[in-house]
Amino acid sequence: VPPEWRSEIMRAVMGEESLLARCDQQTVSGNTITYPVDESTAWQSTGGILTYWDSEASVMTQSKPVLKDLTIKLHRLTALVPVTEELLEDSPAMAGYITSKAAEKLAFKVTDAIVNGTGVGQPLGILNAPCTVQVSKMGSQTAATFKGDNAISMVARMPAASFSRAVWLINQDLIPSILGLGVPVTGATGTALGVGPIYLPPNGLANSAGYGSLLGRPVIVTEACSALGTTGDVILADLTKYLAIVKGALRTDVSM
């Protein structure tokens, strides 16, 4: 006679927010997709589409776009979970638990790839992308710390057009550091007037959800970020610039 099973299964840790929903998702029917890519910027004066100040009745100057092809290949992410028939019969919650738990694992695997992916057999992550800008600590700053000046330096390197969509990704180790972040406020003569907070907690002045906002942008805590003091402990990213190719939705198959 098997023991009685509780109708629900206890979980040590619930799943965290997936970053995939914040990316530029494109659904495809095949295994690869090719995009034309324009790497010219609006402010460059040579190459690509250009604009000119012309006088009336003058001949307009033509310019052509400079495009290159980008081919992206999909990679499959799977979870295979063997369960005995007896266990499924004895525990009514087991089937639903396995489905939801596997989904949590898959979601975090995708989030981790978005941050740390090598691009070999998996997506290319933010930290390994050639476009990533690394901002070092201040010269006299103590190692394994995060200060207000660090956050300001990161914002200064973020393209202006992306800042309104950017989010902060931090490891949970950073929570004690960001709760008291601020910058000194001085008067015209250099007299110290106090400290201006740059982190606002949720339901406070920022009226934001989750872990609040830092310099006006939401903070997302994820285990995909590195520990405090290592590269990737704090990331400021516009995830709408991260192209995520997906093929259909999560599929679940059960076989005896």
Side-chain angles (χ1 to χ4, degrees):
V1 179
E4 292 293 325
W5 288 78
R6 188 171 180 263
S7 60
E8 296 180 358
I9 297 176
M10 296 179 65
R11 302 190 187 193
V13 179
M14 297 296 289
E16 60 181 31
E17 178 184 349
S18 173
L19 299 183
L20 181 61
R22 294 179 177 269
C23 296
D24 178 13
Q25 291 191 55
Q26 299 292 324
T27 302
V28 298
S29 57
N31 290 325
T32 60
I33 187 170
T34 300
Y35 277 89
V37 178
D38 182 0
E39 293 186 342
S40 63
T41 63
W43 51 87
Q44 71 184 49
S45 57
T46 59
I49 297 177
L50 303 175
T51 56
Y52 302 88
W53 294 107
D54 289 332
S55 59
E56 185 178 355
S58 64
V59 178
M60 292 187 293
T61 304
Q62 68 177 7
S63 59
K64 297 180 179 180
V66 177
L67 304 175
K68 72 174 186 178
D69 292 338
L70 172 66
T71 299
I72 300 176
K73 183 179 184 298
L74 275 73
H75 300 287
R76 188 174 65 169
L77 182 61
T78 61
L80 178 63
V81 186
V83 182
T84 63
E85 185 177 356
E86 290 81 1
L87 186 57
L88 291 175
E89 291 177 351
D90 295 337
S91 177
M94 183 58 66
Y97 164 76
I98 291 176
T99 301
S100 61
K101 187 66 176 181
E104 289 179 10
K105 291 282 189 175
L106 292 168
F108 178 76
K109 197 77 170 183
V110 172
T111 292
D112 186 62
I114 291 173
V115 176
N116 301 300
T118 62
V120 180
Q122 58 184 272
L124 179 62
I126 294 171
L127 296 183
N128 294 311
C131 60
T132 297
V133 176
Q134 183 173 340
V135 180
S136 302
K137 68 180 182 70
M138 303 302 171
S140 59
Q141 182 179 341
T142 305
T145 59
F146 185 71
K147 304 296 184 182
D149 288 340
N150 303 137
I152 293 173
S153 296
M154 293 175 69
V155 170
R157 298 302 305 273
M158 166 66 66
S162 290
F163 182 70
S164 62
R165 299 182 298 267
V167 295
W168 297 92
L169 308 177
I170 68 169
N171 185 283
Q172 194 159 345
D173 294 344
L174 269 294
I175 293 179
S177 299
I178 68 170
L179 287 178
L181 284 183
V183 291
V185 178
T186 58
T189 59
T191 304
L193 302 178
V195 177
I198 60 175
Y199 171 78
L200 296 176
N203 300 320
L205 296 177
N207 193 27
S208 59
Y211 287 93
S213 63
L214 177 59
L215 288 171
R217 301 312 309 150
V219 176
I220 299 174
V221 177
T222 174
E223 291 293 333
C225 286
S226 307
L228 177 60
T230 55
T231 302
D233 52 358
V234 182
I235 299 172
L236 179 62
D238 175 10
L239 292 175
T240 64
K241 299 299 183 183
Y242 188 104
L243 183 60
I245 306 301
V246 296
K247 182 179 180 180
L250 180 67
R251 191 179 74 183
T252 305
D253 292 324
V254 179
S255 176
M256 295 299 294

